Amino acid sequence: MPSPVAIDPTHYAVVSAMITPAFFLTAASSMQISSNNRLARVVDRMRADIETLRGLPQGPARVEQEARIAIHRRRSYLVLAAVRMLYAAISAFVGTSLGIAVDAFFGYRLDLVPTGLAVVGVLLMFAASLCLGHEAKLGLRMLDRELDEQLAKDRLEVKE
């Protein structure tokens, strides 16, 4: 039995195209969750170091503790920058989907708007990844430093 209404197959192509940015949205959302967890861990560690700092008198130990806190601060700013970029990337990908629909509605006159939004979203994800990579490098350096300090203390205790 023939359909009483003619179906335009281009609508399906538009819907399919609108779904494509969802893959980027999923990746950006996953990075967002991970980044928020990283930020929480860095902040918790910084708070613990600040609490330790309160009990330290002036001297080398206090200077070292202040240096640790400064590194945590830098790490938190890097993760925060990544979080902001990821939120912007998510917005760009949502804008891409909407742009595809609006472009189809207006007869494909918006040219590169959906593509431009997608490119912006991908570039923001790339920049966020660079920030997170730098933060991870700082975290590893800090861990190496703490390990070296502990090993030095252990060697001193063995000699005594």
Side-chain angles (χ1 to χ4, degrees):
M1 177 146 64
S3 174
V5 178
I7 298 174
D8 183 2
T10 59
H11 293 294
Y12 296 116
V14 170
V15 171
S16 293
M18 288 177 66
I19 292 171
T20 303
F23 295 111
F24 288 118
L25 275 166
T26 302
S29 298
S30 177
M31 286 178 69
Q32 183 70 275
I33 291 168
S34 171
S35 297
N36 284 333
N37 289 335
R38 284 169 82 164
L39 183 58
R41 285 194 315 266
V42 171
V43 168
D44 288 345
R45 185 70 190 265
M46 186 169 20
R47 285 183 177 148
D49 282 350
I50 289 169
E51 194 59 38
T52 301
L53 181 70
R54 287 187 179 136
L56 290 176
Q58 293 297 328
R62 184 174 184 89
V63 170
E64 178 61 31
Q65 195 67 18
E66 288 171 353
R68 285 182 186 170
I69 292 168
I71 293 171
H72 287 312
R73 177 180 278 174
R74 215 171 9 172
R75 290 177 64 198
S76 68
Y77 287 148
L78 283 167
V79 177
L80 181 61
V83 165
R84 288 177 176 161
M85 285 184 254
L86 290 168
Y87 277 123
I90 289 168
S91 297
F93 294 136
V94 170
T96 300
S97 286
L98 291 173
I100 290 167
V102 170
D103 190 30
F105 182 77
F106 287 114
Y108 302 99
R109 294 182 188 158
L110 298 179
D111 290 335
L112 297 177
V113 171
T115 303
L117 286 169
V119 168
V120 166
V122 170
L123 288 173
L124 286 164
M125 284 184 65
F126 178 67
S129 297
L130 292 176
C131 282
L132 293 171
H134 186 61
E135 183 274 331
K137 184 172 72 171
L138 285 174
L140 186 58
R141 279 186 191 163
M142 185 168 231
L143 181 64
D144 284 342
R145 192 170 164 180
E146 290 173 14
L147 180 60
D148 289 343
E149 288 173 15
Q150 187 59 49
L151 291 173
K153 285 179 187 176
D154 289 349
R155 278 186 237 125
L156 285 176
E157 289 175 6
V158 169
K159 287 182 181 180
E160 293 174 0

